Amino acid sequence: MDIGIALFDRVTALDAVGPYEVLQRLPGAQLKFVGHEKGEVRTDNGFLGLTVDHTFDELPSPEIIVVPGGIGTRALVHDQVILDWIRGAHETSKYTTSVCTGSLLLAAAGILDGLDATTHFSARQLLTKYGAKPVEDRVVRQGKIFTAAGVSSGIDMALELAEQLTDSTTAKALQLMIEYDPQPPHDAGALHKVGPAVLARMQELAALRN
Amino acid sequence: MDIGIALFDRVTALDAVGPYEVLQRLPGAQLKFVGHEKGEVRTDNGFLGLTVDHTFDELPSPEIIVVPGGIGTRALVHDQVILDWIRGAHETSKYTTSVCTGSLLLAAAGILDGLDATTHFSARQLLTKYGAKPVEDRVVRQGKIFTAAGVSSGIDMALELAEQLTDSTTAKALQLMIEYDPQPPHDAGALHKVGPAVLARMQELAALRN
């Protein structure tokens, strides 16, 4: 079972690595990192290099596709190579998925027209622009399409997907293997859970990075 | 502020990428991926390539070190290059941290002698062998040393570390930025939370991979 995870310059690493870390442990899964050209891409901040092992041309029809987000998606909504790959792969995929602003690319490819979808909370308006209906859930399923919210949510999405592909015992075993027993020091991981001071600080930090 | 994250062949990607994704968003943080030689290393399953940008020699004294785990650690407990780097960096570090079986390397370097520490639950006995006292907490702090449990726990550890380095508003803002509002489909992320069928399935899946 080929699982194609898209990589591109200025990708957010955890968007891709969260689902990868769950799905690579499925029996028979072949995880393949795919992009425009083989070789290294750098993450959103440039701090980390990740390797593209397969071009989009070489992997036209994986059983599952995962499209991560990152600031790099803003240019890619006009890139016909990745949009054609998403459209083509989606025709025969068992599941088509995105994490964070990866859903902007699914939407720009036309496969979210009129459908509920999620993305990083800061990008909900952008999702509307490309024809999807943003909702606030962490993982949104519409038929064979799963979209997940910001960055870390790909782990939850992948566990749901793993259960669809196998059974609940296996999904729990995968969760145990990665010891996903979250204990964040605060309950501040969603917009509706924080006050204006935290939101303002987040916006300051985001402005420093971009 | 230099944050040195060790990479090596057969590393577990999420062990490194979880803390990276939190800490890269700290103002002034320079995340540097460090290893024996510059260039690509492959993850535990070989599915993903990550880039080492700096040799251990080039980054002897980062303010923070992060040592991830993975099956590759089993050989590295005898590797004097990485153990010397850990020992040397620890002398002047502000914080010395590990995720998953990365704590085996801290222990083999001699810096966990007689101290409480955690690791992936399957490796607790090994940790004892190298002189540390394994405990079951998700994140264990002993002075400036933080050890985290398996794979995904590095995210929780990094949020605690971020709060130590800044303040709770900033730590919450970082959590919001990565939308870390975990909603796993099951509550099965720790050994004491699962029954024998899930544990047996996990052992089967682990045997398939190694």
Side-chain angles (χ1 to χ4, degrees):
Chain A
M1 179 175 61
D2 280 346
I3 300 178
I5 303 181
L7 290 178
F8 43 82
D9 273 315
R10 307 195 74 192
V11 66
T12 295
L14 185 53
D15 291 11
V17 168
Y20 146 90
E21 201 64 76
V22 173
L23 300 175
Q24 59 113 332
R25 296 159 193 273
L26 279 172
Q30 294 291 317
L31 284 272
K32 296 185 176 175
F33 287 88
V34 57
H36 291 81
E37 290 174 22
K38 293 181 195 185
E40 185 190 61
V41 295
R42 302 293 297 193
T43 53
D44 34 22
N45 47 57
F47 286 142
L48 175 59
L50 301 166
T51 308
V52 171
D53 289 320
H54 308 271
T55 63
F56 290 124
D57 278 351
E58 288 174 342
L59 196 75
S61 311
E63 277 81 352
I64 297 172
I65 72 170
V66 180
V67 180
I71 194 69
T73 57
R74 305 305 188 278
L76 291 178
V77 291
H78 307 294
D79 179 292
Q80 293 310 315
V81 175
I82 193 167
L83 299 183
D84 282 347
W85 178 74
I86 291 169
R87 268 188 295 264
H90 180 61
E91 282 179 19
T92 55
S93 71
K94 191 158 183 173
Y95 292 103
T96 298
T97 76
S98 66
V99 180
C100 199
T101 48
S103 58
L104 297 179
L105 300 181
L106 300 194
I111 70 170
L112 293 180
D113 284 354
L115 297 181
D116 288 352
T118 190
T119 188
H120 193 276
F121 71 86
S122 64
R124 283 187 199 134
Q125 278 308 108
L126 265 176
L127 197 53
T128 307
K129 183 174 160 190
Y130 296 105
K133 295 190 291 186
V135 296
E136 298 192 10
D137 295 342
R138 188 158 173 86
V139 178
V140 175
R141 181 175 181 181
Q142 300 269 275
K144 72 175 187 179
I145 303 174
F146 285 76
T147 55
V151 192
S152 62
S153 62
I155 302 172
D156 299 287
M157 186 269 284
L159 287 168
E160 288 195 31
L161 192 58
E163 185 155 344
Q164 293 295 320
L165 289 161
T166 58
D167 52 74
S168 70
T169 300
T170 300
K172 288 174 184 172
L174 295 171
Q175 184 180 355
L176 177 62
M177 217 183 253
I178 63 164
E179 284 200 83
Y180 187 49
D181 181 34
Q183 296 170 30
H186 300 285
D187 188 16
L191 188 57
H192 68 273
K193 292 183 168 183
V194 304
V198 171
L199 181 59
R201 183 67 174 136
M202 194 218 78
Q203 288 163 337
E204 271 175 30
L205 294 173
L208 284 176
R209 296 177 66 239
N210 295 327
Chain B
M1 178 174 62
D2 279 344
I3 300 178
I5 303 181
L7 290 178
F8 44 82
D9 273 313
R10 308 195 74 191
V11 67
T12 295
L14 184 54
D15 291 13
V17 169
Y20 146 90
E21 200 64 75
V22 173
L23 299 174
Q24 59 113 331
R25 296 158 195 273
L26 280 171
Q30 293 290 317
L31 283 271
K32 296 185 175 175
F33 287 87
V34 56
H36 291 81
E37 289 174 24
K38 292 181 196 185
E40 185 189 60
V41 295
R42 302 292 299 192
T43 53
D44 35 23
N45 47 55
F47 287 142
L48 176 59
L50 301 165
T51 308
V52 171
D53 289 319
H54 308 272
T55 64
F56 291 124
D57 278 353
E58 288 173 343
L59 195 75
S61 310
E63 277 81 353
I64 297 172
I65 72 170
V66 180
V67 181
I71 194 68
T73 58
R74 305 307 188 276
L76 291 178
V77 293
H78 307 295
D79 179 293
Q80 292 310 314
V81 174
I82 192 167
L83 299 183
D84 282 348
W85 178 74
I86 291 169
R87 268 189 295 265
H90 180 62
E91 281 180 18
T92 56
S93 71
K94 191 160 183 173
Y95 292 104
T96 298
T97 76
S98 66
V99 180
C100 199
T101 49
S103 57
L104 298 179
L105 300 182
L106 301 193
I111 70 170
L112 292 180
D113 284 354
L115 298 180
D116 288 351
T118 191
T119 188
H120 193 275
F121 71 88
S122 63
R124 284 188 198 134
Q125 279 308 109
L126 266 176
L127 197 52
T128 307
K129 183 175 161 189
Y130 297 105
K133 294 190 291 185
V135 296
E136 297 191 10
D137 295 341
R138 188 158 173 85
V139 178
V140 175
R141 181 174 183 181
Q142 299 269 276
K144 72 175 187 180
I145 303 174
F146 284 76
T147 55
V151 192
S152 62
S153 62
I155 301 172
D156 299 287
M157 186 268 285
L159 287 168
E160 288 195 34
L161 192 58
E163 185 155 346
Q164 293 295 319
L165 289 161
T166 58
D167 53 73
S168 70
T169 300
T170 300
K172 288 175 185 172
L174 295 172
Q175 185 179 354
L176 177 62
M177 216 183 255
I178 63 164
E179 284 200 82
Y180 187 48
D181 181 33
Q183 295 169 31
H186 300 284
D187 188 16
L191 188 56
H192 67 274
K193 293 184 168 182
V194 304
V198 171
L199 181 59
R201 183 67 175 138
M202 194 217 79
Q203 288 163 336
E204 270 175 30
L205 294 173
L208 285 177
R209 295 177 68 240
N210 294 324

